[in-house]
Amino acid sequence: MKSFTTASLLGIFSLTLTFLGATREANARYRCHTVSARFTDSITAENCPSPVGLCTAGTITDDPLIAGTVLNVVNSITPVGTTGLLSLSTTQTITTASGTIVSHGTGVLDTATGKVSFLEQWPQGTGSFAGVSGALYVDGSPLSAIETAGEIRGLLCLP
């Protein structure tokens, strides 16, 4: 029984070392960056390919990785069960000096307060963002009837 226990422990130890080595190798292949940025954007009709006629354009600051411009194209607007809430499907394009990130978002707009919250996922990138993965969370509040400001947080990993 003792040799079985020792062999079992050695097997588990070996599997653990193999798993840790594979995890370390996977992490070494990607550089992950915790995003913490601010944005401001305004409703725009310029260069707006939205099928529902709603786009916003603005700037992202306070995070060196994604600082640049942003264009949000609303693809669909759907009322949800709670009065005053709308579900929005978006395509977000962040353009920086080193490339672009295009992601797809799902969010909620509270028509009573003007607040928005989005989860941006399935990113694709160009330039230094080629092969990007991760997700961004966007929370905004109105500055005026056409302008919003808020925070972008999340994790982006680059190969």
Side-chain angles (χ1 to χ4, degrees):
M1 184 76 165
K2 185 176 180 182
S3 64
F4 175 74
T5 305
T6 303
S8 296
L9 288 174
L10 285 173
I12 291 170
F13 181 71
S14 176
L15 286 173
T16 302
L17 287 177
T18 302
F19 173 76
L20 290 174
T23 302
R24 195 173 311 117
E25 181 181 324
N27 287 339
R29 284 186 269 168
Y30 290 91
R31 297 170 317 193
C32 293
H33 175 81
T34 301
V35 173
S36 180
R38 305 243 352 118
F39 78 92
T40 57
D41 65 9
S42 300
I43 294 174
T44 184
E46 187 176 330
N47 299 319
C48 180
S50 168
V52 296
L54 180 58
C55 292
T56 64
T59 58
I60 297 174
T61 60
D62 297 345
D63 189 295
L65 183 68
I66 65 167
T69 62
V70 61
L71 174 66
N72 295 294
V73 177
V74 178
N75 300 311
S76 66
I77 302 172
T78 308
V80 296
T82 305
T83 303
L85 294 183
L86 299 174
S87 173
L88 288 86
S89 170
T90 63
T91 301
Q92 180 182 71
T93 303
I94 298 171
T95 304
T96 75
S98 56
T100 62
I101 302 170
V102 177
S103 58
H104 302 282
T106 302
V108 176
L109 166 66
D110 183 335
T111 60
T113 64
K115 292 185 177 191
V116 294
S117 291
F118 286 91
L119 170 59
E120 297 288 336
Q121 302 179 90
W122 308 295
Q124 297 174 330
T126 66
S128 65
F129 297 108
V132 68
S133 64
L136 297 174
Y137 301 91
V138 179
D139 291 307
S141 296
L143 295 177
S144 69
I146 63 166
E147 190 174 29
T148 301
E151 297 180 348
I152 301 172
R153 289 185 226 104
L155 185 70
L156 292 177
C157 297
L158 305 169

